[in-house]
Amino acid sequence: MSVSETLRRRFACAAAALSLLAAEAAVAQVAVDPLNPTCPAEPNWSTYPEMRLSVEEIGGRPVLLAEGRIDDNLIPRLRAALESFTGDEIWVRSPGGNARVGNEAGRLIREANLQTRIPEGWACFSACNFVFMGGTARFVDRGGLFIVHMFTHTGDRDAIRSEVSRGVDSTIGLIGDIEQQSALLASEDNDFLIRMGVSRLLLTEIMYRTRAVADRSGDRSTRRCLTQDEVRRYNVVTEILSN
């Protein structure tokens, strides 16, 4: 090997090392959420009130971007977008939304044989998890966030207090409805993970141990950001790409 070739390779290695250090420093500077210490204070999961679907040319190939809240009417739009999409990869960022719609969206993505990605700087929370897990191949780039919590049918505390104030019979009926809907959704989640090849331990060890609604008298954490090791351990990703 010539001297110039040796120097060129050493320079390339040094540049790569500096780039990695800079990326790690940038991550370290992100403000941490004091109530959810595994997560940043302001995850970049988009503020669109309805999920927007658009195609962009990235790296010389078309990529479908899915950004915003998973709304009740997403499925017809997603189905139309998938029918006209000529690429093979979807990037997702979302604060969540309708859990059952998220499951159905994930199944549509699997049927379309597309891969999914959470790129650096993007965050996928709650119902978005199931959209992402629909990918035949799944990637969480370094700096991308897969954020979980337990589903809930009791997020509106004021509505619950109102129902409870109506008396014992009304409260018992409310509890029964919550139990039934929670059991159905838990069963659907479990079935979904099996079909998508994701470890069911993700539910029992992580998701179901993270509150969906803050406890005013105690634990106020409502989000859990998985590490790169965890997304690999639970088969959330099929491969980890280092940037």
Side-chain angles (χ1 to χ4, degrees):
M1 182 183 299
S2 66
V3 173
S4 60
E5 179 65 15
T6 299
L7 291 174
R8 187 187 68 78
R9 292 192 176 186
R10 287 180 178 176
F11 178 79
C13 290
L18 288 173
S19 177
L20 179 60
L21 288 173
E24 291 176 345
V27 170
Q29 292 174 3
V30 173
V32 173
D33 185 342
L35 298 180
N36 302 282
T38 62
C39 299
E42 298 182 359
N44 179 20
W45 50 35
S46 174
T47 58
Y48 297 142
E50 295 182 341
M51 180 159 276
R52 296 189 183 183
L53 303 168
S54 61
V55 178
E56 286 192 13
E57 194 82 9
I58 300 176
R61 63 194 181 101
V63 174
L64 179 61
L65 307 182
E67 305 171 85
R69 179 166 294 277
I70 299 168
D71 58 283
D72 297 349
N73 302 310
L74 169 62
I75 296 305
R77 301 197 312 275
L78 178 60
R79 184 176 285 113
L82 294 179
E83 288 175 354
S84 62
F85 183 50
T86 59
D88 63 0
E89 184 166 293
I90 301 176
W91 290 13
V92 294
R93 62 170 179 150
S94 169
N98 188 313
R100 286 200 167 93
V101 171
N103 284 15
E104 187 173 354
R107 290 193 294 270
L108 284 178
I109 290 170
R110 176 57 61 92
E111 291 171 5
N113 196 33
L114 297 175
Q115 60 191 36
T116 52
R117 182 184 301 272
I118 304 172
E120 179 183 5
W122 282 25
C124 177
F125 178 48
S126 191
C128 177
N129 299 159
F130 295 87
V131 176
F132 172 77
M133 289 188 291
T136 52
R138 301 179 295 271
F139 308 95
V140 177
D141 290 342
R142 192 173 300 279
L145 294 173
F146 184 86
I147 312 175
V148 306
H149 71 162
M150 185 175 180
F151 63 81
T152 179
H153 291 285
T154 60
D156 190 341
R157 294 308 205 210
D158 291 334
I160 293 173
R161 292 190 185 94
S162 175
E163 194 71 20
V164 169
S165 69
R166 294 172 59 186
V168 174
D169 290 343
S170 180
T171 301
I172 292 174
L174 174 64
I175 292 172
D177 289 342
I178 290 172
E179 288 179 336
Q180 182 180 42
Q181 291 302 314
S182 295
L184 286 172
L185 190 54
S187 177
E188 291 170 8
D189 288 351
N190 191 63
D191 179 69
F192 184 91
L193 264 64
I194 293 172
R195 291 176 181 273
M196 301 304 156
V198 179
S199 172
R200 285 177 292 170
L201 293 177
L202 175 65
L203 294 176
T204 56
E205 293 185 357
I206 303 291
M207 283 187 170
Y208 291 172
R209 296 177 183 270
T210 305
R211 292 177 178 272
V213 180
D215 182 352
R216 294 180 179 177
S217 62
D219 184 5
R220 296 183 59 81
S221 63
T222 57
R223 298 196 293 269
R224 173 74 150 74
C225 291
L226 270 65
T227 64
Q228 291 276 303
D229 178 65
E230 287 171 334
V231 293
R232 182 171 59 248
R233 182 189 313 157
Y234 296 110
N235 297 330
V236 171
V237 297
T238 55
E239 183 179 355
I240 299 281
L241 295 184
S242 299
N243 289 337

